[in-house]
Amino acid sequence: MSAASAQPATAERLPRAAVRTISAVIVGGAAAILDSTIVTIALDHLSSDLDSTPATIQWVVTAYLLALAAAIPLSGWAQSTLGGKRSWMITLTIFVVFSAACALAWNDTSLIVFRALQGFGAGMIFPLMQTLAVQAVGKVSAKLMGTTIAAISVPLALGPILGPVLGGILLDTVGWRWLFLINVPLVGIGLLMAWRMIAPDAPSAAPRARVDLAGLALLIPGLVGIVLGLSNVASDGGFGHPDVLVPLGCGTALVAGFVIWAVHRGHDAAVDVSLLSLRSLATSSGVLFTAGAALYAGMFLLPLYWQQVRGDSVLTAALVLVPQGVGALLARVIAGKLAVRFGARTLTIGAFAITALGTVPFAFAGTDASGWLLGVALFVRGLGVGAVIMAPMMVAYADVQHDEMPHATMLTRITQQVGASLGVAVIAVVLENAVAGDVVTGFQTAFWWLIGITLAALIPAFAFRRENLDDEVPATKG
């Protein structure tokens, strides 16, 4: 840790070096967060413009997600080997270079390849963004940790809302290639800020461990297999198809093999699973797994309701979801304070309950449901969505030392990513089977399932300690 980042935080504000680091990673990571949602709405345009088929062009999204999952376990190795600042700038460079390459794609194959490489960069960006911010702050009061988590999660709240809106505007005005070119100036600013504002890592006195090639050889294809299998669920009509069972089974076996290997290797494993013996991190990872399932299933289902039941355009469907984004942003502002006052358990359970409550009107909604009522419901749902991951992310690092934070981040990112893929897969199967009879009734059934998943998702939150968060986040640096 650099001397600059080691400045003590006062009870009132974060150290200046931490504010500079957080600002730099927010700007640098914003493009990747927007990009994860901006391209989905363009698949029809891409299919026609590149003379492709829907099944093939869907790999523009699938390849990105697979590469994103594959990159997560490498983020800790990159930071320990290259240093945080250097890893961050290299990762941003990978992302922006292949963003530009995507804009220059000449057919569907080239776009899919470039999109996968772009996704690899994004997969490194997300965990590095979280780790660099938390390490810069260190172990401070829960209030300041809440401020940090709220700041770096603002782009995560805005991405699913602004991405489709921005994508629709770009598609209607300048064409699909600008969905990727827009990343160039954004990342350029992020790179400049990183160069100027992120302090270089201090040299480590400890000898570097050899890269865990065996662990990576098990974990990376294992995660790819799980995400691929779950991604195939909707297109193959359920969990029983070989295209689902084979990659899902092989991926699960490889991840299980990695866990056995990592326990044997200990702290030198590609991802230190022994940290899950810490109650704070284990509980947070469990909550983030179920939160990923509930939240991403909602992100999948809600736009489809407005398009397939209400008959709205892609851009209109994105615009009507804005109240949910407003609620999420408001929740990010106040959720940290609520977590400190009422505790992680109460806030997380309450946030899941509010999310479920805001989803209930959609379970009764038909083609003529009041747009105002659904807008209010989306705002309420946004309050829950915005608050639900705040406490788990604050608590996750409570018992983790500075050098262990990259491993803690990888564990939380992996669990959240796998949970998200599972949640979307379940809702996609439910929706496909339910709409076979009647579209409106099918969506209502799917929303009831979403409510059930959301309520089930709060169960791990009961494992949070009862203590106030100020007791869980030490006030001294690790």
Side-chain angles (χ1 to χ4, degrees):
M1 182 170 58
S2 67
S5 65
Q7 299 171 12
T10 69
E12 298 296 329
R13 60 185 181 180
L14 295 169
R16 184 170 179 268
V19 173
R20 289 167 61 85
T21 297
I22 292 169
S23 301
V25 298
I26 287 175
V27 173
I33 293 168
L34 282 173
D35 193 84
S36 63
T37 58
I38 199 174
V39 177
T40 306
I41 67 170
L43 293 181
D44 287 340
H45 290 76
L46 294 172
S47 181
S48 60
D49 197 57
L50 297 175
D51 194 25
S52 184
T53 64
T56 300
I57 210 66
Q58 181 64 37
W59 276 92
V60 171
V61 174
T62 303
Y64 183 91
L65 293 176
L66 295 179
L68 189 149
I72 294 174
L74 291 171
S75 61
W77 167 81
Q79 185 172 354
S80 64
T81 304
L82 303 173
K85 178 176 181 176
R86 188 179 300 175
S87 296
W88 177 251
M89 296 186 69
I90 290 173
T91 297
L92 286 181
T93 302
I94 293 172
F95 177 79
V96 74
V97 166
F98 288 105
S99 292
C102 287
L104 300 175
W106 55 91
N107 58 23
D108 52 7
T109 301
S110 63
L111 180 57
I112 291 167
V113 172
F114 293 147
R115 181 72 169 153
L117 293 169
Q118 184 198 32
F120 182 85
M124 298 275 281
I125 285 173
F126 295 147
L128 283 172
M129 178 181 178
Q130 186 172 323
T131 302
L132 289 176
V134 174
Q135 283 185 324
V137 174
K139 294 197 172 184
V140 293
S141 69
K143 179 181 178 181
L144 291 183
M145 182 60 74
T147 300
T148 303
I149 298 300
I152 64 173
S153 62
V154 164
L156 295 174
L158 284 176
I161 307 303
L162 294 183
V165 174
L166 179 60
I169 293 172
L170 291 174
L171 281 174
D172 289 343
T173 54
V174 291
W176 66 264
R177 295 183 188 275
W178 278 92
L179 299 179
F180 304 104
L181 286 176
I182 193 69
N183 293 330
V184 176
L186 291 176
V187 176
I189 296 171
L191 280 168
L192 178 61
M193 292 180 67
W195 176 56
R196 298 285 300 272
M197 300 171 70
I198 299 179
D201 300 72
S204 175
R208 289 179 180 171
R210 296 178 60 184
V211 60
D212 181 16
L213 293 176
L216 292 174
L218 289 168
L219 183 57
I220 291 177
L223 290 176
V224 169
I226 290 173
V227 174
L228 176 60
L230 293 174
S231 299
N232 289 339
V233 167
S235 60
D236 291 320
F239 285 88
H241 197 279
D243 286 348
V244 176
L245 290 177
V246 172
L248 186 58
C250 291
T252 302
L254 287 171
V255 170
F258 168 76
V259 172
I260 296 172
W261 166 259
V263 169
H264 170 73
R265 189 171 173 89
H267 298 303
D268 293 332
V271 179
D272 187 0
V273 298
S274 69
L275 292 178
L276 291 175
S277 63
L278 302 173
R279 177 175 174 176
S280 57
L281 180 59
T283 303
S284 296
S285 298
V287 172
L288 289 170
F289 175 84
T290 58
L295 301 187
Y296 279 81
M299 287 170 53
F300 167 80
L301 187 58
L302 283 165
L304 290 179
Y305 164 79
W306 292 99
Q307 294 173 60
Q308 297 186 15
V309 176
R310 313 274 296 196
D312 292 327
S313 66
V314 171
L315 181 56
T316 300
L319 289 171
V320 296
L321 291 175
V322 167
Q324 180 174 251
V326 174
L329 280 178
L330 177 60
R332 297 295 165 101
V333 174
I334 63 175
K337 298 177 182 178
L338 293 176
V340 174
R341 181 174 180 181
F342 297 106
R345 179 188 298 184
T346 301
L347 175 66
T348 307
I349 292 173
F352 275 121
I354 291 172
T355 303
L357 179 65
T359 311
V360 168
F362 288 90
F364 296 97
T367 56
D368 57 351
S370 168
W372 286 102
L373 173 62
L374 296 182
V376 172
L378 283 171
F379 176 77
V380 172
R381 190 175 192 279
L383 291 174
V385 167
V388 79
I389 66 170
M390 282 292 295
M393 290 180 68
M394 291 170 65
V395 172
Y397 300 96
D399 302 318
V400 177
Q401 299 304 311
H402 180 274
D403 293 339
E404 297 170 335
M405 286 180 177
H407 290 271
T409 299
M410 287 188 289
L411 287 167
T412 57
R413 287 298 310 176
I414 288 170
T415 53
Q416 191 173 4
Q417 184 70 37
V418 174
S421 299
L422 178 61
V424 171
V426 170
I427 287 297
V429 170
V430 170
L431 182 63
E432 182 177 7
N433 293 330
V435 298
D438 176 74
V439 173
V440 174
T441 303
F443 269 88
Q444 290 174 344
T445 300
F447 276 115
W448 280 118
W449 270 80
L450 177 58
I451 293 167
I453 291 173
T454 305
L455 291 175
L458 62 80
I459 294 174
F462 284 98
F464 277 130
R465 297 183 181 122
R466 293 182 177 273
E467 292 92 335
N468 186 285
L469 272 176
D470 274 321
D471 299 323
E472 295 194 54
V473 181
T476 59
K477 290 209 174 257

